[in-house]
Every structure is written in structure tokens, then in C-alpha cells.
Amino acid sequence: MPVKGRICFDDGKSLFSSPAFRELSATAIRVLLLFYCRRQFVKMGAKGKERTVISNNGKIQFPYAEAQKQFKIGGKSFSKALDKLIEVGFLDIKHAGGGMLGSSTLYAISERWRKFGAINFERAKRDKDTRGFGFTLDNWEEMTGRARKHSSI
């Protein structure tokens, strides 16, 4: 029987006492709660058999700039929190965005965390960005249109 006043689920397993939740840092917990606040719900199904579902799952946006400006979460802290939330099963990435391309990353709230620590748990991680954006030693001159100053030392 779920304890009144705690966030519990149908199976009575409390989010806060789960092994996955105990793996989270304070910043990751804060980011998770901010993601939960971004959910939008709709009722689906026949009358009397309705169930509530997240209507925007897989389309939730949370840009780094917003985390920094509105919630004072630095880029590195936000990145680490996202990595941990994905790793232990609270979030999944549905579309990897690119800030320079003007597209945002789209996230989905996941239930994988329920199996965290079990043999059949599916661990996930963010893919490294291999699109080649930004400056490197090899593309600096091409990207800037200027010649590199070579030191005489």
C-alpha cells in the first residue's frame, strides 16, 4: 500500500527510495524535477477506462541556455545531470539537436529507472557529437578565414 504524501506508483514502489534515484546528485534531482514540470497530460481511452498519458513525451525541450539563465545551472553541471538521468533511466533522447543548427534536443521521460540494478536493465548514454562543429587545430584557418600566426619559439 503506497504511503500517503509520497510520490508512489501503481506498484507501490516509491521514486524516492529507488536505487536509480539514490544515484542522482542534487543537481540531477533538480533537473529531473524541472523535466517533470514540463510534462503535459491528456486523458485517453473510453469513458470509464480512461488513463492519463504524457502528450508531449519525446518532444520535451530544455535548452542549456534556459538552464543557465532561468535556473542558474551551469553548462557543465547541466551536462553531467543529463548524462546521469539518461544513464540510470529517467530520460531518453529522441532527437539530438545542435545549437548552431537552431534545433533543440528533444527528450522523453523514461520508465527504465524502475529496472535499475536488475540484470535486464538497459543502460544508456548520450552519443558523442561527431558532426565536426566548432574549432579544431585542423580546421581553424578554414573556419575563420584567417591564417594562423605561427610562433617563432
Side-chain angles (χ1 to χ4, degrees), residues 7 15-16 21 24-39 60 62 71 73 81 85 90-91 109:
I7 295 179
L15 170 72
F16 299 124
F21 191 82
L24 301 179
S25 66
T27 302
I29 291 170
R30 191 168 160 221
V31 171
L32 175 63
L33 293 175
L34 290 167
F35 267 100
Y36 280 175
C37 290
R38 292 168 185 270
R39 297 175 297 177
I60 301 171
F62 197 168
F71 300 105
I73 302 171
L85 291 169
F90 287 105
L91 293 178
I109 304 295

Side-chain angles (χ1 to χ4, degrees), residues 9-61:
F9 298 93
D10 295 339
D11 61 4
K13 185 174 182 179
S14 172
L15 170 72
F16 299 124
S17 65
S18 72
F21 191 82
R22 289 193 305 260
E23 288 279 318
L24 301 179
S25 66
T27 302
I29 291 170
R30 191 168 160 221
V31 171
L32 175 63
L33 293 175
L34 290 167
F35 267 100
Y36 280 175
C37 290
R38 292 168 185 270
R39 297 175 297 177
Q40 297 171 356
F41 296 96
V42 294
K43 290 188 177 188
M44 297 186 73
K47 192 167 185 155
K49 295 183 179 183
E50 292 176 327
R51 60 188 179 97
T52 304
V53 297
I54 303 171
S55 63
N56 65 335
N57 213 16
K59 299 174 187 161
I60 301 171
Q61 296 181 11

